[in-house]
């Protein structure tokens, strides 16, 4: 079932979460171990992230350095298929522009169709670590909006090869939104304008970047409404589990940690205490978001489900 249908049919706030593929070489069981503890709370859908190649330098004979491309976490589509098959829960693969030509994108979407996967989260992807700015592959998409447009064309039965008689796909399309603005955007309003372009292109709903200050989410939601964005906006939540995240998360995700939360984490004497602070913050955040009518709570588990389990046990 499509995410948008889950939302439209729901009588109360839904629960979903996101996992990342295991490191190459690990078995699928490691994924099941992170999903199983959350099954009691009947997740409506599970997202699986996409991780493109990274470049590393390997020392070769004679002291030369060779630039080598490696993908540490392949398997997004296979994991989605395994989730649907094992749990009968809808899986949402993330699909990025980076590293894909338009034809490769189309082929990836065809694979999803064959597997009966009709949800996709359409993203641009970050710049690879060795590049300062995002560079699309030749004949690839520069922005997520272009990926959304390609999927919408497929949904109309229009594929890249105009010669073929193609059946329309039926993808439900999610896109990313940033309550505290995307790190590259010159300002909040410009970022919002580009978010609106993704919705106008045909995206069905928005999932937000993680945040710890609900006020920022509510302001973002109001700004979206004022800009004419009417699709459901799903808040993304990640429980803090380590004291050091107080400085790491702002750097990675371009977000603020509210003073009350950072003060508490800085004072924490043990990692267990820091984890407990993160759980209690997540519970309060979730309760307030539900009270304010969000369609779904979407948790970033990063493969660790214990804190998320504690939170959802309290709020659902
Ligand atoms: P876009 O919407 O294309 O925006 C990127 C930047 O370009 C923004 O600053 C925007 O303001 C600007 N922009 C947009 N359109 C235009 C335009 N037409 N002209 C000029 N500027 C424009 N990354 C992964 O690699 N794998 C994942 O699985 C993954 N999952 C994610 C899930 C969620 C919910 C979120 C919030 C992010 C995720 N990311 C993932 C990270 C994401 O790929 C990065 O944040 C990326 O830098 C931006 O992606 P986007 O889809 O928001 O890009």
């Amino acid at each position: 079932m499509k995410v948008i249908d889950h939302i439209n049919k729901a009588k109360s706030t839904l629960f979903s979460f996101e996992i990342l593929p295991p490191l190459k070489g690990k078995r699928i069981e490691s994924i099941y171990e992170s999903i199983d503890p959350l099954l009691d709370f009947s997740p409506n859908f599970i997202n699986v992230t996409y991780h493109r190649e990274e470049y590393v330098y390997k020392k070769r004979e004679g002291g030369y350095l060779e630039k080598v491309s490696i993908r540490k976490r392949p398997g997004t589509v296979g994991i989605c298929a395994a989730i649907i098959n094992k749990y009968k829960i809808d899986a949402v693969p993330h699909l990025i522009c980076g590293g894909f030509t338009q034809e490769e994108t189309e082929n990836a979407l065809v694979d999803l169709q064959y597997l009966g996967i009709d949800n996709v989260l359409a993203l641009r992807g970050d710049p690879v670590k060795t590049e300062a700015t995002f560079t699309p592959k030749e004949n690839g998409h520069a922005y997520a909006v272009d990926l959304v447009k390609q999927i919408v064309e497929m949904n109309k039965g229009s594929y890249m090869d105009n010669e073929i008689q193609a059946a329309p796909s039926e993808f439900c399309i999610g896109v990313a939104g940033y309550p505290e603005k995307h790190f590259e955007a010159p300002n909040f309003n410009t970022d919002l304008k580009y978010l609106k372009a993704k919705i106008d292109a045909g995206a069905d709903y928005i999932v937000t970047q993680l945040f710890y200050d609900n006020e920022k989410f509510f302001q973002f939601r109001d700004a979206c409404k004022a800009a004419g964005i009417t699709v459901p906006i799903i808040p993304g939540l990640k429980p803090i589990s380590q004291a050091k995240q107080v400085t790491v998360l702002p750097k990675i995700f371009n977000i603020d940690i509210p003073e009350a939360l950072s003060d508490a984490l800085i004072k924490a004497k043990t990692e267990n205490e820091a984890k407990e602070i993160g759980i209690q913050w997540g519970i309060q955040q979730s309760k307030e978001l539900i009270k304010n009518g969000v369609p779904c709570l979407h948790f970033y588990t990063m493969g660790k489900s214990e804190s998320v389990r504690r939170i959802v046990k309290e709020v659902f």
Side-chain angles (χ1 to χ4, degrees):
M1 187 159 128
K2 294 176 183 173
V3 169
I4 196 68
D5 294 334
H6 279 288
I7 293 173
N8 288 339
K9 280 189 186 163
K11 299 210 165 27
S12 56
T13 303
L14 304 176
F15 163 53
S16 65
F17 62 91
E18 181 172 307
I19 56 170
L20 65 167
L23 287 169
K24 187 154 59 182
K26 282 200 169 185
R27 296 174 63 82
I28 186 91
E29 281 71 22
S30 65
I31 285 291
Y32 300 152
E33 281 159 20
S34 68
I35 294 176
D36 289 346
L38 298 173
L39 288 179
D40 289 347
F41 310 100
S42 309
N44 296 87
F45 53 94
I46 300 173
N47 282 42
V48 184
T49 54
Y50 185 91
H51 300 259
R52 64 176 297 186
E53 74 285 2
E54 293 170 28
Y55 292 97
V56 292
Y57 288 92
K58 296 217 164 168
K59 216 171 199 175
R60 299 296 186 212
E61 216 175 301
Y64 293 109
L65 290 177
E66 189 190 352
K67 192 177 173 188
V68 182
S69 155
I70 48 165
R71 268 191 79 199
K72 291 185 181 167
R73 296 180 186 273
T76 302
V77 174
I79 292 170
C80 284
I83 289 172
I84 294 172
N85 188 39
K86 181 174 165 71
Y87 297 106
K88 317 289 176 237
I89 296 174
D90 289 302
V92 183
H94 293 192
L95 187 61
I96 66 169
C97 304
F100 283 82
T101 64
Q102 291 177 40
E103 192 182 14
E104 286 163 347
T105 297
E106 186 172 277
N107 292 341
L109 289 162
V110 168
D111 276 344
L112 295 181
Q113 273 182 297
Y114 289 150
L115 289 165
I117 298 173
D118 50 10
N119 286 295
V120 67
L121 192 72
L123 301 145
R124 187 197 69 179
D126 282 326
V128 288
K129 284 192 184 107
T130 43
E131 287 176 349
T133 53
F134 177 83
T135 314
K137 197 167 177 181
E138 197 179 337
N139 194 28
H141 296 305
Y143 295 105
V145 65
D146 305 313
L147 174 56
V148 172
K149 285 178 186 165
Q150 182 174 3
I151 303 170
V152 166
E153 279 306 304
M154 274 184 69
N155 280 352
K156 289 181 194 157
S158 169
Y159 288 53
M160 291 186 72
D161 180 355
N162 289 327
E163 307 284 302
I164 57 170
Q165 283 286 323
S169 55
E170 291 184 29
F171 289 108
C172 167
I173 310 166
V175 289
Y178 301 83
E180 297 176 64
K181 141 182 143 47
H182 183 256
F183 70 98
E184 289 167 22
N187 56 66
F188 180 85
N189 285 341
T190 302
D191 204 26
L192 195 65
K193 205 164 64 186
Y194 290 129
L195 175 59
K196 171 108 175 12
K198 292 192 277 193
I199 306 307
D200 291 346
D204 296 288
Y205 67 97
I206 296 165
V207 186
T208 76
Q209 181 61 281
L210 53 95
F211 60 90
Y212 294 93
D213 182 350
N214 282 354
E215 267 320 302
K216 299 223 162 132
F217 174 81
F218 297 137
Q219 284 162 12
F220 169 72
R221 198 171 62 169
D222 289 348
C224 285
K225 197 173 167 197
I229 295 172
T230 55
V231 297
I233 303 176
I234 299 176
L237 301 170
K238 178 189 158 12
I240 287 197
S241 56
Q242 292 171 297
K244 70 173 184 198
Q245 288 172 333
V246 79
T247 50
V248 173
L249 295 174
K251 196 170 149 208
I252 302 179
F253 297 107
N254 191 45
I255 52 155
D256 273 355
I257 307 281
E259 203 177 338
L261 178 56
S262 65
D263 281 353
L265 288 165
I266 289 164
K267 278 190 209 139
K269 290 192 183 62
T270 62
E271 279 308 323
N272 256 349
E273 206 182 309
K275 195 170 171 180
E276 195 56 35
I277 291 165
I279 291 170
Q280 293 308 321
W281 191 272
I283 291 171
Q284 297 315 318
Q285 244 196 305
S286 302
K287 283 185 174 168
E288 190 181 28
L289 288 165
I290 291 175
K291 211 168 115 194
N292 281 274
V294 297
C296 178
L297 291 181
H298 184 74
F299 288 89
Y300 299 105
T301 68
M302 312 287 193
K304 295 191 180 108
S305 37
E306 192 201 323
S307 293
V308 175
R309 184 178 160 84
R310 289 269 312 277
I311 295 170
V312 291
K313 200 166 166 230
E314 283 292 321
V315 301
F316 284 108

